[in-house]
C-alpha cells in the first residue's frame, strides 16, 4: 500500500494518479470526503486525517509499504509556524511508531538552513524530525512552485502590473511545476533499488531559471496585453501581505523567506543533492491558471445574469 498525504493537492494528486497508473494500491489521505471524490474515482482508498490528530495519522499509515508525507503551512492559523511544527511532530511520532519500508517527504530548496529563511526553516525542522524514521528515507526538495504566482495573476490582469518580491526583477531563480514534483515523487517511491545513502536528498527545478521579468512577459503573451513587472519596495511588503489576508506571523515568515531568496540563500544544495529537472514550462502552468480564472469569471457572470 502506497499512502499519499495531501493527495488532493497540486503535488499529491499527481503522485496518486501516477501510482495508480503503475498498478499500485494507493491510500489517498485527505481532510474531508469531498476532497476524496475524484481520487476515489481513479481507484484510491480514501482516508480522512487531521495532521494534528495522532490517532487519525496512525490509522492512515497502517499497513503502508511506502508513505509520501506533506506537512503544509497552515495559512489560516494565527501562528502558522507553531501549528506546522505540531503537525510535523504528530506525523514523525506516528511514523516512528510504525515505520514504512520507504518514506518520502516533500521538502524545499534551502531546507539545509536551520534559521533565517522564514517558511523554509519549517522544512529544515521537518527533515531533522523525519531523518531517522525509515531505512529508505528520501527528501524531495523542490524549487518555488510556478503556481504560487497564481495568487497575484488576478492583480496583473486587472492592473497590468505584476507585483514581485523577487529583487531585482532581472534576477534568475529556480522554479518548478507542481505536476513535475508529483511525477518525480511517484517515480522515487516506485524505485525498489536499495538506497546508497539515507536520507537521500533529491532536488527538482524546471529546465530554465526565470526572472520576474520573464514571468510578466509570459503572462502578457498569454493574456495578449502588456504586463509590467513591479519590484515591490521592501518597506511595503508587510502592508501588502496583510492586505492579502496574511496575519502578522505568516507575513513575517514570507518576508524572511524572500529576504533569504534575494540574498541568494534559497537554492539547490549541490554538494549532496541528486539533481532532477522538470519538463513543464512556465507558460504551460500559467495557461491552465488563466483558463480556470476565465472559466470561473464566466460562471460568476452567468450566475449573476441568471439571478437578475
Amino acid at each position: 500500500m502506497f499512502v499519499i498525504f495531501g493527495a488532493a493537492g497540486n503535488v499529491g494528486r499527481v503522485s496518486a494518479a501516477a501510482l495508480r497508473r503503475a498498478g499500485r494500491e494507493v491510500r489517498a489521505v485527505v481532510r474531508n470526503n469531498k476532497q476524496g471524490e475524484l481520487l476515489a474515482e481513479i481507484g484510491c482508498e480514501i482516508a480522512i486525517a487531521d495532521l494534528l490528530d495522532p490517532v487519525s495519522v496512525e490509522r492512515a499509515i497502517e499497513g503502508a509499504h511506502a508513505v509520501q508525507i506533506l506537512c503544509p503551512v497552515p495559512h489560516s492559523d494565527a501562528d502558522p509556524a507553531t501549528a506546522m511544527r505540531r503537525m510535523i511532530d504528530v506525523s514523525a511520532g506516528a511514523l516512528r511508531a510504525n515505520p514504512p519500508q520507504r518514506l518520502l517527504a516533500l521538502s524545499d530548496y534551502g531546507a539545509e538552513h536551520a534559521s533565517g529563511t522564514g517558511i523554509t526553516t519549517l522544512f529544515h525542522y521537518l527533515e531533522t524530525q523525519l531523518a531517522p524514521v525509515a531505512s529508505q528515507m528520501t527528501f524531495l526538495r523542490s524549487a518555488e512552485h510556478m503556481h504560487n504566482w497564481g495568487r497575484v495573476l488576478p492583480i496583473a490582469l486587472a492592473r497590468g502590473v505584476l507585483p514581485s518580491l523577487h529583487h531585482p526583477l532581472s534576477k534568475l531563480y529556480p522554479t518548478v511545476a507542481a505536476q513535475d514534483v508529483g511525477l518525480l515523487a511517484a517515480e522515487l517511491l516506485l524505485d525498489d533499488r536499495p538506497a546508497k545513502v539515507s536520507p537521500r536528498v533529491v532536488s527538482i527545478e524546471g529546465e530554465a531559471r526565470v526572472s520576474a521579468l520573464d514571468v510578466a512577459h509570459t503572462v502578457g503573451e498569454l493574456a495578449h496585453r502588456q504586463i509590467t513587472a513591479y519590484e515591490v519596495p521592501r518597506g511595503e511588503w508587510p502592508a501588502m501581505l496583510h492586505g492579502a489576508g496574511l496575519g502578522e506571523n505568516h507575513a513575517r515568515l514570507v518576508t524572511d523567506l524572500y529576504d533569504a531568496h534575494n540574498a541568494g540563500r534559497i537554492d539547490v544544495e549541490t554538494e549532496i543533492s541528486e539533481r532532477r529537472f522538470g519538463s513543464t514550462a512556465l507558460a504551460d502552468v500559467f495557461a491552465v491558471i488563466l483558463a480556470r480564472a476565465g472559466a470561473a469569471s464566466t460562471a460568476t457572470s452567468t450566475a449573476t445574469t441568471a439571478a437578475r
Side-chain angles (χ1 to χ4, degrees):
M1 176 66 73
F2 288 73
V3 176
I4 308 297
F5 282 82
N10 292 316
V11 173
R13 66 170 178 263
V14 174
S15 297
L19 291 168
R20 287 297 299 139
R21 288 194 298 271
R24 300 304 199 270
E25 292 184 341
V26 174
R27 181 179 299 145
V29 185
V30 293
R31 291 194 303 271
N32 55 61
N33 287 317
K34 181 67 176 176
Q35 287 187 335
E37 289 176 356
L38 293 178
L39 293 156
E41 289 179 5
I42 63 172
C44 293
E45 175 187 324
I46 305 302
I48 308 300
D50 178 350
L51 289 177
L52 293 172
D53 174 27
V55 174
S56 66
V57 175
E58 290 165 6
R59 190 182 303 119
I61 65 172
E62 186 175 348
H65 164 72
V67 173
Q68 179 171 311
I69 189 74
L70 165 69
C71 288
V73 180
H75 302 296
S76 60
D77 197 283
D79 188 354
T82 298
M84 184 169 165
R85 288 192 185 96
R86 286 202 306 268
M87 290 180 185
I88 293 168
D89 289 339
V90 167
S91 299
L95 289 162
R96 279 194 296 267
N98 187 15
Q101 181 176 330
R102 186 172 292 113
L103 176 60
L104 181 144
L106 298 171
S107 188
D108 232 2
Y109 272 27
E112 69 273 18
H113 300 299
S115 63
T117 58
I119 288 172
T120 301
T121 61
L122 300 172
F123 291 96
H124 176 83
Y125 184 71
L126 172 76
E127 292 192 7
T128 59
Q129 295 304 107
L130 292 181
V133 169
S135 59
Q136 296 196 54
M137 173 78 239
T138 300
F139 295 125
L140 177 53
R141 293 180 182 171
S142 64
E144 180 177 317
H145 287 195
M146 295 174 182
H147 75 263
N148 287 354
W149 282 100
R151 302 165 189 164
V152 295
L153 290 190
I155 297 173
L157 295 174
R159 304 177 185 174
V161 175
L162 180 84
S164 174
L165 304 186
H166 283 287
H167 294 181
L169 296 176
S170 58
K171 178 177 71 70
L172 296 175
Y173 69 94
T175 186
V176 69
Q179 64 208 59
D180 289 338
V181 181
L183 288 172
L184 177 56
E187 176 188 325
L188 294 171
L189 286 173
L190 289 167
D191 186 354
D192 290 327
R193 294 172 297 177
K196 295 179 180 178
V197 296
S198 186
R200 178 185 185 187
V201 178
V202 181
S203 68
I204 182 170
E205 62 181 83
E207 291 180 337
R209 295 194 167 194
V210 302
S211 68
L213 294 173
D214 296 325
V215 172
H217 177 74
T218 300
V219 177
E221 284 200 328
L222 291 169
H224 305 293
R225 60 169 299 184
Q226 179 69 35
I227 302 293
T228 302
Y230 169 64
E231 186 176 296
V232 180
R234 176 62 178 79
E236 296 178 9
W237 290 7
M240 185 190 80
L241 294 169
H242 294 154
L246 274 63
E248 182 177 350
N249 291 319
H250 193 178
R252 187 179 302 113
L253 288 174
V254 173
T255 56
D256 288 350
L257 170 64
Y258 279 93
D259 280 340
H261 246 305
N262 296 336
R265 297 188 69 208
I266 305 295
D267 210 325
V268 61
E269 191 179 12
T270 54
E271 296 81 3
I272 67 168
S273 179
E274 300 174 33
R275 300 195 68 184
R276 305 291 184 89
F277 297 89
S279 60
T280 306
L282 196 66
D284 298 328
V285 173
F286 286 0
V288 173
I289 294 173
L290 293 174
R292 288 175 180 167
S297 176
T298 299
T300 300
S301 177
T302 301
T304 301
T305 301
R308 287 175 180 168

